[in-house]
Amino acid sequence: MSNSKVGGNSNLCYFIVMHDHHHHHALKNITRALFLNFIFVIIELVGAYFSGSMAVFADALHDIGDSLTLVIAWVLQRASLKKKNRQFTYGYGRLSLVSSLVVGGILVLGSLLIIWHATRNFNTSRVLHPEIMLPLSILGIIFNGWAYFSLRHGHSHNEKAVGLHMLEDLLGWVAVGTVSISLFFVNWVWLDPLLAIGIAFFTLYNAFRNISESTRVFLQANPKDFDLESYFEKVKSVTGVIAAHDIHVWSLDGHRHVISYHLQVDPNHSLDEIANIKNKCRGLLKDFGHFHCTIETETGAIASLSISGV
Ligand SMILES: [Zn+2]
Ligand SMILES: [Zn+2]
Ligand SMILES: [Zn+2]
């Protein structure tokens, strides 16, 4: 399906790719991905400890972030099975925003700690074990490479975003491998904290991007994938429509959106015709994504012939 429009964070794409393509296998897929990520994080942490490499540790932090995101996707997949109720009339979609802010906060804190720690370790003559770093990086390249190439052929926005993330993870391990090989020949121990800082900045950048996207949704911004002007251009072309005002568009979770507006219609129309006009306006939304739509019709004084009060 190509109708998967998501303005949300790229990490959660894991979840959404599965939502759109393998509805019934989603839980199984997430559980497997989660299990593999978790095993790999443990291998990394042990490897970081025994090799003394800060770069490997920075990579482990990044992967802990990926794993946490998967855990949350897994929990949300279960929570989403719960239907909306009288207490939560929109359902539980916004849980994903809360969790992406929490994960973002953890990653920002972790990255800053690594950067701070690495800058203080440039001059110390620590003992590094490239003979441990190298097999670790080969494992990382195999693991991330396999994940990348199995998703590479996707065409949807989500699959591309997940694929790009995997490619970045892959390049991180190529860098760790390159550093460990050069450590066999030269004693440039500073290469390791330098790479750690690079990886931490990359993690920081992604975390900030996710936080800012979730914050946008929290602040009820117009969804990124919704072109307000072009939608109301189409609404105006429906016969009987005079104008629209008091327009409000926001997103529940970056995936499902909510829209409400007042529609001024030609007062000469019957109630049936007005209901028909409303249905047409509703139908036009189908090209713009998943919407929960409320339209109030007015036949009173004609205030304006253009879209106003956005
Ligand atoms: Zn959907
Ligand atoms: Zn990653
Ligand atoms: Zn009104």
Side-chain angles (χ1 to χ4, degrees):
M1 256 176 245
S2 59
N3 69 335
S4 46
K5 291 176 179 173
V6 180
N9 44 83
S10 59
N11 282 336
L12 271 177
C13 289
Y14 243 138
F15 165 61
I16 290 154
V17 165
M18 287 155 185
H19 155 81
D20 277 348
H21 292 275
H22 313 282
H23 237 283
H24 305 289
H25 308 293
L27 262 176
K28 215 175 129 192
N29 279 342
I30 291 172
T31 313
R32 196 179 54 195
L34 180 62
F35 182 73
L36 284 173
N37 261 272
F38 191 67
I39 298 276
F40 193 62
V41 165
I42 289 174
I43 293 172
E44 271 181 295
L45 286 174
V46 172
Y49 177 77
F50 284 108
S51 66
S53 166
M54 244 180 284
V56 172
F57 187 71
D59 223 314
L61 174 83
H62 171 95
D63 287 337
I64 287 173
D66 285 358
S67 299
L68 275 180
T69 308
L70 277 171
V71 172
I72 285 155
W74 185 75
V75 172
L76 287 180
Q77 179 71 20
R78 309 204 125 203
S80 69
L81 298 175
K82 247 169 97 178
K83 289 272 170 282
K84 58 188 183 183
N85 53 45
R86 275 170 194 277
Q87 292 298 322
F88 294 90
T89 55
Y90 280 110
Y92 295 86
R94 286 212 142 189
L95 274 176
S96 66
L97 296 183
V98 179
S99 55
S100 88
L101 284 183
V102 171
V103 174
I106 292 171
L107 288 181
V108 167
L109 219 72
S111 314
L112 289 178
L113 274 173
I114 286 175
I115 291 167
W116 177 69
H117 197 71
T119 48
R120 291 173 69 233
N121 272 277
F122 263 114
N123 298 318
T124 56
S125 48
R126 283 178 313 119
V127 183
L128 280 173
H129 297 280
E131 73 279 6
I132 297 175
M133 286 169 74
L134 186 59
L136 258 182
S137 63
I138 290 171
L139 201 66
I141 289 168
I142 292 171
F143 181 75
N144 286 286
W146 166 75
Y148 171 64
F149 282 105
S150 59
L151 267 169
R152 195 178 49 133
H153 299 292
H155 294 292
S156 76
H157 161 78
N158 295 322
E159 285 166 312
K160 278 184 184 146
V162 175
L164 184 69
H165 183 103
M166 304 241 157
L167 184 64
E168 289 163 345
D169 288 4
L170 185 62
L171 290 179
W173 279 111
V174 171
V176 173
T178 311
V179 165
S180 63
I181 288 171
S182 33
L183 283 175
F184 280 112
F185 301 104
V186 286
N187 194 29
W188 294 347
V189 188
W190 50 266
L191 274 176
D192 184 63
L194 187 69
L195 182 57
I197 289 172
I199 293 170
F201 265 113
F202 167 66
T203 306
L204 202 60
Y205 165 76
N206 274 326
F208 267 123
R209 211 180 45 185
N210 286 346
I211 288 172
S212 85
E213 277 179 13
S214 302
T215 307
R216 243 186 81 87
V217 178
F218 259 127
L219 295 180
Q220 294 181 293
N222 181 20
K224 268 184 179 167
D225 57 4
F226 179 61
D227 185 347
L228 195 119
E229 269 72 32
S230 91
Y231 171 67
F232 280 100
E233 217 40 65
K234 286 185 177 178
V235 166
K236 260 167 68 181
S237 69
V238 173
T239 335
V241 169
I242 293 168
H245 63 268
D246 205 4
I247 298 161
H248 297 288
V249 197
W250 53 283
S251 187
L252 269 172
D253 53 9
H255 183 55
R256 288 167 300 160
H257 312 316
V258 180
I259 183 169
S260 70
Y261 58 91
H262 294 192
L263 192 67
Q264 216 156 13
V265 292
D266 188 336
N268 299 317
H269 286 295
S270 71
L271 280 179
D272 274 355
E273 284 167 332
I274 288 174
N276 209 15
I277 291 169
K278 233 160 126 171
N279 272 339
K280 273 185 193 154
C281 295
R282 235 182 259 280
L284 287 172
L285 276 171
K286 288 206 179 94
D287 302 333
F288 292 88
H290 300 253
F291 274 92
H292 183 274
C293 171
T294 310
I295 303 170
E296 181 172 312
T297 43
E298 293 169 6
T299 51
I302 297 163
S304 145
L305 285 169
S306 62
I307 302 159
S308 59
V310 172

